[in-house]
Structures are given as C-alpha cells and as structure tokens.
C-alpha cells in the first residue's frame, strides 16, 4: 500500500484528464501540428481563473520527430463554479473556433488545435495556441491603450469584420438571425429589468435619463429595423473591449490576435466599436481617438474588399450602436455584476450619447 501511494504521488493532481499525453498526441496529429512524434510528458506551467473559465498553460515534451510542434498550449475549461450554469457560453466559443476560425485568414485569432463539449455534463474544453511569449495585453484593465495600440487593435477588428461582411453563410451555416419577434421579446425582458433598475437607483438616475430609456423602449421596433435589414452586417465579437486583444511584444514581428469569443454573433459591425470606445472610455480619451479610429477602421474595410458601405453610413451606424449600448449597464446590473462595472459604463455611455447627439435617432 505504501508503494502504491508513492506511485500516485508522482502524478500531478492538477493535471486535467484532457491533458493526457495520448489524447494530446492524437489531437495534435489531427490538427496537422505533429507528424511522426508523440507527446511524452505534460506539465502544468501556470493556472488561473477568469470570471467564467479556467486557464491552464501546459508544457509539452515529445519523443520522436516534433519539429514545429507547439512546446506549450493553452487549455481553456469551465470555471468549476459555473460549469453548468454558463456552459452555453463555452460551447458557443467552441463553435466559433471549430466552425468559423478555420474559414478565416491566419493571424486574426489564436490557432485552435482541439475542442470538445459534452451536453450531458456541461463540460467543454479548448486547446489553443499559446501566445504568452510573443504577445501581451496592451495595458492592465481598465487603463486605455496608447494611440498606436488602439490603431493596431481596430485594424485587426476591421480585418475580422471584413471576412464575414455580408457573407452568404450568415444565418445559414454561420450564426443565427434574431427574428423581429425575438427582438420584441428581448426588449420586453429588458423593460422589466429597466423598471427594477430605475427603482433601485432612485434619484441617482435623472429624469432626463429616464426619458431616454423610455423613448428607446418605445422606439425599439423602428430602431431594430437596421439590424433586420440584414445589410452591411458581419460576425461581431460581442465583448470587444481592448483587453480581449493580444498585441505582439516589443521586437516581435507578428499580428494582433483577438480572443474570448463566447459572445460572438451576427450584428451591425459598429456594435463592437461602440462597446470598445463609448462604453469603456471617458470623454477625453474617446474624443481624442474616436474619429481617427473610425477612419482607420473604414480604410481597413476598403482595403479588405468591403464595398457599398459609405463613411457616412459608418458614422450613422456608430451613433445607432452607441444609443443601443445604454441598455448594456442595465443588462450587467441584472446579472449582478458589481457597480464598479455597470455604474462606470452607464456614465461613460451616457456622455457619449450626449456628445454624439444620439437622441436625434429617437
């Protein structure tokens, strides 16, 4: 018995089952990332939790021919506390990497080597390219990036949007469309959240802002026509703050990569831009960069082959998206995110609405 316990102690208890050398060997071979060699040893280099997932950095050692095979991998699995309640987000991201990413040019998102889910248990995993040594976040959250970093981020976002711009597969084999009835039901749900939100805030939500919310709800069917036109739409990230982009480290010649795709979907492309700038940045920073970043975004669309979309249409869509984003802090409040998130987002987006004259759209 003593010898048996000693043998068991040699196996790192934190090593996930999916990190078995045999499984990884098969997965890497299927992904054409490993030829004749095999994974001999797997070690956990680092582990951390995000809000809803668990990230494990794996170190790999091979036997046989492994030139060009990854020496490290990122394993993304559910956070234990949310494994079942938020399993859909993980499966949704899995669908992005398995169905959409292979149809995109390399260099936009991390390479995915393997991904699986189990509907019964809610378990899922992703084995992703490890960019730790070559890339980094622009800044720590919630510090805005520099001008050059912001330009690089928006250029990459435009590159992703251009791939799926008016793509014939949208709503067919890629993503799903919300029907007008779906939109109406969502607004009805939002209106219920808003009533409770307004009651709780009391005099901290001004009458002017209450009027704005009421008018948005009343005009929602007309405002939704832009989405339901199905023109000049694409796959959006859905959570495109600048800390979901990895930038090459100093001296590394590589591209910016986008990650965390659990909220992707079909939508008007400016939803990502408005979320990045109007929701996340205070007026001085937003006003300094907003115009130049929209210009860069538009120039990149044209360079990537997008046609029939004018610069004026981009401005109109951006204002439309900023107006819709006043709903975001309410949704965040409704899922019990802390006030440090939704209150600051509320203040920032309301200032953007005022700056950009978005009330005119009502």
């Amino acid at each position: 018995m003593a010898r048996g316990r000693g043998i068991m102690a040699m196996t790192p208890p934190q090593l996930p089952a999916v990190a078995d050398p045999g499984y990884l060997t098969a997965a890497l071979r299927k992904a054409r990332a490993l030829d004749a060699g095999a994974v001999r040893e797997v070690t956990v280099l680092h582990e951390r939790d995000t809000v809803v997932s668990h990230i494990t950095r794996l170190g790999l050692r091979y036997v046989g021919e492994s030139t060009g095979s990854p020496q490290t991998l990122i394993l993304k699995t559910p956070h234990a506390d949310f494994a079942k309640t938020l399993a859909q987000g993980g499966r949704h991201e899995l669908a992005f990497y398995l169905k959409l990413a292979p149809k995109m040019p390399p260099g936009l998102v991390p390479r995915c080597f393997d991904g699986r889910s189990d509907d019964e248990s809610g378990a899922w995993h992703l084995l992703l390219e490890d960019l730790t040594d070559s890339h980094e976040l622009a800044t720590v959250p919630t510090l805005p990036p520099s001008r050059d970093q912001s330009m690089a981020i928006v250029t990459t976002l435009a590159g992703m949007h251009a791939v799926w711009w008016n793509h014939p597969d949208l709503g067919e084999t890629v993503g799903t469309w919300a029907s007008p009835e779906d939109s109406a039901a969502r607004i009805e749900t939002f209106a219920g959240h808003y009533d409770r939100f307004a009651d709780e805030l009391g005099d901290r939500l001004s009458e002017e802002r209450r009027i704005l919310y009421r008018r948005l709800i009343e005009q929602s069917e007309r405002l939704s026509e832009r989405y339901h036109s199905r023109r000049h739409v694409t796959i959006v990230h859905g959570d495109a703050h600048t800390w979901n982009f990895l930038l090459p480290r100093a001296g590394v010649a590589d591209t910016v990569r986008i990650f965390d795709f659990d909220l992707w979907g079909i939508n008007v492309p400016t939803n990502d831009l408005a979320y990045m700038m109007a929701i996340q940045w205070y007026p001085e920073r937003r006003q300094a960069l907003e115009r130049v970043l929209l210009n860069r975004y538009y120039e990149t669309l044209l360079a990537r082959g997008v046609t029939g979309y004018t610069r004026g249409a981009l401005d109109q869509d951006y204002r439309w998206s900023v107006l819709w984003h006043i709903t975001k802090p309410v949704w965040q409040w409704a899922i019990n995110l802390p006030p440090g998130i939704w209150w600051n987002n509320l203040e920032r987006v309301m200032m953007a609405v005022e700056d950009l004259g978005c009330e005119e759209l009502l």
Side-chain angles (χ1 to χ4, degrees):
M1 288 293 291
R3 185 165 62 179
R5 284 197 299 270
I7 292 172
M8 290 184 66
M10 293 172 62
T11 303
Q14 73 273 31
L15 201 64
V18 69
D20 174 77
Y23 182 92
L24 291 178
T25 296
L28 292 173
R29 284 179 179 168
K30 185 177 180 181
R32 298 182 179 179
L34 180 63
D35 292 325
V39 178
R40 182 183 69 186
E41 182 182 347
V42 184
T43 56
V44 172
L45 303 177
H46 182 69
E47 290 184 274
R48 66 181 177 90
D49 283 323
T50 69
V51 176
V52 296
S53 61
H54 186 72
I55 307 296
T56 308
R57 189 185 189 209
L58 301 174
L60 277 57
R61 294 181 67 183
Y62 296 91
V63 60
E65 178 57 44
S66 61
T67 303
S69 299
Q71 301 302 302
T72 57
L73 291 171
I74 294 295
L75 173 63
K76 187 172 184 178
T77 52
H79 189 299
D81 294 343
F82 303 104
K84 291 198 173 182
T85 55
L86 294 175
Q88 187 56 44
R91 289 197 291 268
H92 193 57
E93 183 173 29
L94 187 67
F96 177 89
Y97 278 108
L98 297 185
K99 295 180 180 179
L100 278 70
K103 299 179 181 180
M104 294 165 59
L108 287 172
V109 302
R111 184 179 177 187
C112 179
F113 297 104
D114 183 66
R116 292 189 185 181
S117 65
D118 185 292
D119 291 340
E120 187 173 329
S121 67
W124 56 269
H125 77 262
L126 281 164
L127 280 169
L128 300 170
E129 177 183 13
D130 180 20
L131 297 164
T132 305
D133 293 335
S134 59
H135 289 68
E136 61 186 349
L137 297 180
T139 63
V140 296
T142 53
L143 182 67
S146 71
R147 177 189 172 107
D148 287 348
Q149 289 170 330
S150 300
M151 294 283 271
I153 286 169
V154 164
T155 301
T156 296
L157 184 65
M160 187 190 86
H161 285 173
V163 172
W164 298 107
W165 199 277
N166 290 339
H167 199 287
D169 290 346
L170 294 181
E172 299 294 329
T173 58
V174 173
T176 56
W177 290 105
S179 68
E181 293 74 23
D182 293 333
S183 296
R186 181 170 171 81
I187 281 293
E188 186 175 350
T189 300
F190 171 78
H193 290 325
Y194 167 72
D195 287 341
R196 293 186 293 275
F197 176 79
D199 285 346
E200 182 170 304
L201 279 187
D203 62 10
R204 290 166 292 190
L205 188 66
S206 68
E207 184 57 29
E208 291 79 8
R209 291 180 177 181
R210 290 169 185 266
I211 291 171
L212 184 64
Y213 275 114
R214 287 197 291 268
R215 290 177 67 194
L216 179 71
I217 292 168
E218 290 165 2
Q219 297 289 324
S220 60
E221 183 177 355
R222 179 180 61 82
L223 289 170
S224 295
E225 290 172 0
R226 169 65 184 91
Y227 167 83
H228 292 297
S229 73
R230 300 190 178 185
R231 293 183 64 252
H232 297 303
V233 291
T234 188
I235 293 298
V236 299
H237 182 278
D239 190 25
H241 55 70
T242 55
W243 310 286
N244 273 335
F245 294 77
L246 290 169
L247 281 72
R249 294 182 183 274
V252 175
D254 205 339
T255 56
V256 176
R257 311 293 173 87
I258 316 172
F259 65 100
D260 271 5
F261 284 95
D262 54 326
L263 295 177
W264 71 272
I266 306 171
N267 216 318
V268 178
T270 47
N271 273 22
D272 279 344
L273 293 164
Y275 186 77
M276 182 182 295
M277 294 187 278
I279 287 270
Q280 306 293 337
W281 294 349
Y282 285 98
E284 184 181 55
R285 190 65 183 160
R286 177 176 50 77
Q287 292 164 6
L289 292 181
E290 197 169 47
R291 180 61 36 192
V292 71
L293 291 178
L294 288 173
N295 286 340
R296 169 60 65 88
Y297 177 84
Y298 186 70
E299 291 161 3
T300 306
L301 291 183
L302 297 182
R304 297 291 189 275
V306 171
T307 59
Y309 189 60
T310 67
R311 183 65 182 78
L314 174 63
D315 277 340
Q316 185 76 356
D317 282 347
Y318 181 71
R319 292 170 70 228
W320 177 88
S321 293
V322 171
L323 179 62
W324 269 117
H325 275 328
I326 70 171
T327 62
K328 183 68 72 175
V330 180
W331 290 112
Q332 292 172 332
W333 170 87
I335 60 171
N336 297 317
L337 290 182
I341 295 176
W342 60 258
W343 174 259
N344 287 304
N345 288 347
L346 175 67
E347 289 299 315
R348 289 185 290 247
V349 75
M350 285 296 183
M351 288 185 277
V353 166
E354 183 175 353
D355 285 348
L356 298 167
C358 298
E359 288 188 53
E360 295 171 4
L361 301 175
L362 296 170

